[in-house]
Amino acid sequence: MLLEPIRVDCEIHEGSGSQGEFLLGDTLGMLDALCEKYAGQVKLIYLDPPFLTGERFCMRVRVGEAEWRSGKGTLSLESFVDQKNRAAFLEMMRTVLEACRRLLREDGMLFVHIDYRAHPYLRLMLDEIFGESNFLNEIIWVYQSGGRSLKYFSRKHDVILFYRKSPQYDFNVQEIMVAPSEPRSNHMRRHVDPDGRVYRSIRSNGRVYTYYDDDPVAPSDVWNDLSHLQQRDPERTGYDTQKPLALLNRIVKCGSREGELVMDLFAGSSTTLEAAKRNGRRFVGVDRCPMTMNIARRRLAGSAYALRFAPFEGTPACAASVQPGVGFYHVTLESFVPEPGSMPRDFEGLDAVDNWSVGYLRADGYHCMAEFARTRREPALKTALDAPVYAGDLALCVSDVTGRSFYYRFVHT
């Protein structure tokens, strides 16, 4: 069988549990379509927009088995440019925040993750768009990574502005209760009950109040118990500005319930989407960097989701063979050669391949049936996959290390 290059704009993954979609493209250009489809349906929106730093951010991509095994990526590709123009930034954010209000359910909530550069401007803008009475918290996320300044107090926190759409909001605080980091004191007397549990008591206005040291409590608006990702953290995807899963787990749990819809309009490393998946929420993510699709495939594996994008240009040379089995096709990827000048450097063998899959073409897109992506646990590219017999034309997808995905249909010779 021969491979025929085809253009695809939707990749569908069938799985269990959470369902969702990841849209590759500019957020501003997608807002009208998102509002038409999801207006009044989203329970939680988390935004981690640019921070007005004026910097160029990169993703460090691991190429080939050796780099995946070592955990060090040598390919540095631009992921986004953080503009310095405050007026343009605020104009963009006003458009996004006004759309967020339309997207949210009446009981929905919004978390906007920023730092000192944009905080005062977005706080006033959010008061205007959502109403000052719908402001709930200015959450301070404290971390200790990075160096220390000797010219001013080191900046070791971000701000997360927390708003509701209306007084009907549904704050799911029970799901984020945690054991206190240190026991209550406040001149209370310490006791031990017959089961060995430590508790403290205090008498006030003729009543005795009792508090167990291990009883969970709701977090305050200062989050100093969620660590920033270190450089060698195994959770790292290589994407600059990636936030830890523990942080988004807390936000997703308190801002939504199982089966409800969570949205991230600057999805980046897909941390919000993975948190939604892990906690049984539906999800929608948007990002403009092509490499984020490769990240999403890894983090969303096992869930039912769709990747939607404009077809990528180019037709790399690809060769594969098919051996029919009983109820399946055994597909072997033999070669993948990018077009000359299309990659930042030359690669040996199949090193240009980040992940690949086998599936079927149907009217609504490419249905992925079996896939493999390099990981630290499995750094060597698996070159053979078994696809169960399914309706449609047998096809495969190869995604290269720059984030571009190419699709090929098997045709009989």
Side-chain angles (χ1 to χ4, degrees):
M1 301 179 80
L2 296 178
L3 286 178
E4 175 191 13
I6 52 171
R7 293 173 67 83
V8 169
D9 60 8
C10 181
E11 179 179 311
I12 299 164
H13 293 247
E14 299 181 1
S16 58
S18 299
Q19 297 182 337
E21 61 178 346
F22 181 97
L23 311 176
L24 183 66
D26 180 64
T27 296
L28 288 179
M30 293 188 172
L31 289 177
D32 287 343
L34 286 170
C35 286
E36 183 177 349
K37 184 174 181 179
Y38 292 110
Q41 300 179 45
V42 184
K43 181 62 177 296
L44 166 68
I45 297 177
Y46 169 80
L47 301 179
D48 183 11
F51 277 20
L52 274 176
T53 64
E55 298 178 17
R56 292 180 178 270
F57 290 92
C58 294
M59 180 172 171
R60 288 167 296 281
V61 180
R62 299 164 187 163
V63 176
E65 179 179 352
E67 293 186 14
W68 274 100
R69 199 175 293 280
S70 69
K72 296 181 179 179
T74 62
L75 187 62
S76 182
L77 301 175
E78 185 175 283
S79 54
F80 71 96
V81 178
D82 192 351
Q83 61 183 311
K84 191 79 171 178
N85 186 322
R86 184 188 299 158
F89 170 79
L90 293 177
E91 181 181 359
M92 180 268 291
M93 287 304 299
R94 176 175 291 277
T95 303
V96 170
L97 293 173
E98 288 175 346
C100 285
R101 194 174 189 284
R102 295 196 299 273
L103 288 161
L104 284 172
R105 294 168 21 168
E106 285 303 305
D107 60 351
M109 286 156 285
L110 171 72
F111 289 78
V112 182
H113 193 141
I114 48 179
D115 71 0
Y116 65 93
R117 299 175 184 89
H119 169 219
Y121 306 99
L122 291 187
R123 172 68 193 275
L124 293 174
M125 185 181 294
L126 282 160
D127 281 350
E128 177 187 343
I129 295 170
F130 279 79
E132 189 174 350
S133 63
N134 289 319
F135 166 77
L136 294 172
N137 282 113
E138 181 180 279
I139 299 165
I140 305 300
W141 175 42
V142 181
Y143 46 82
Q144 297 301 324
S145 64
R148 297 279 172 175
S149 174
L150 298 178
K151 296 183 177 180
Y152 49 81
F153 296 111
S154 298
R155 296 163 181 151
K156 297 295 180 182
H157 78 273
D158 288 351
V159 176
I160 304 174
L161 296 175
F162 176 26
Y163 280 75
R164 65 188 184 188
K165 182 175 181 180
S166 78
Q168 301 173 29
Y169 77 109
D170 174 30
F171 184 50
N172 188 15
V173 69
Q174 295 301 320
E175 278 208 51
I176 59 168
M177 304 284 273
V178 295
S181 57
E182 56 186 47
R184 299 177 177 90
S185 54
N186 297 338
H187 308 293
M188 291 189 285
R189 298 186 61 181
R190 183 180 183 276
H191 310 271
V192 179
D193 73 8
D195 295 325
R197 292 180 66 199
V198 177
Y199 68 96
R200 298 165 195 271
S201 67
I202 188 171
R203 181 180 293 275
S204 177
N205 295 326
R207 295 182 59 187
V208 175
Y209 296 87
T210 300
Y211 305 94
Y212 277 87
D213 281 5
D214 58 357
D215 275 347
V217 296
S220 73
D221 60 0
V222 177
W223 294 358
N224 56 8
D225 59 332
L226 302 173
S227 175
H228 199 279
L229 291 177
Q230 305 302 317
Q231 289 299 320
R232 301 286 293 175
D233 196 301
E235 188 181 317
R236 277 204 173 273
T237 63
Y239 191 91
D240 278 343
T241 74
Q242 178 183 347
K243 302 304 184 292
L245 184 59
L247 176 71
L248 272 302
N249 268 334
R250 178 172 291 177
I251 291 172
V252 165
K253 286 180 177 180
C254 75
S256 64
R257 297 180 186 270
E258 190 170 345
E260 294 180 331
L261 184 59
V262 173
M263 185 174 285
D264 187 340
L265 298 176
F266 302 95
S269 61
S270 298
T271 307
T272 306
L273 309 189
E274 182 176 356
K277 166 199 162 184
R278 284 172 174 258
N279 292 288
R281 277 64 164 168
R282 295 179 293 125
F283 53 85
V284 175
V286 180
D287 202 88
R288 65 185 303 172
C289 174
M291 291 171 290
T292 58
M293 287 219 304
N294 286 344
I295 300 173
R297 288 188 181 99
R298 289 184 176 86
R299 304 193 80 164
L300 301 178
S303 60
Y305 68 96
L307 297 172
R308 304 187 190 279
F309 48 91
F312 293 92
E313 297 297 328
T315 53
C318 184
S321 60
V322 180
Q323 292 293 328
V326 178
F328 68 91
Y329 291 105
H330 185 74
V331 180
T332 301
L333 179 64
E334 296 174 344
S335 67
F336 179 78
V337 182
E339 293 178 309
S342 66
M343 302 291 277
R345 69 173 193 240
D346 293 332
F347 302 100
E348 296 182 1
L350 291 171
D351 281 355
V353 178
D354 179 87
N355 62 87
W356 74 290
S357 66
V358 180
Y360 293 87
L361 292 171
R362 302 184 70 183
D364 56 349
Y366 168 79
H367 286 250
C368 173
M369 304 302 293
E371 61 184 320
F372 180 84
R374 299 182 194 266
T375 64
R376 288 285 296 274
R377 188 169 295 177
E378 294 185 272
L381 187 70
K382 185 178 180 180
T383 57
L385 295 173
D386 291 336
V389 174
Y390 191 71
D393 296 334
L394 185 65
L396 65 79
C397 165
V398 180
S399 299
D400 68 26
V401 293
T402 68
R404 298 175 301 167
S405 296
F406 301 96
Y407 300 82
Y408 305 84
R409 184 204 324 260
F410 284 96
V411 294
H412 293 281
T413 57

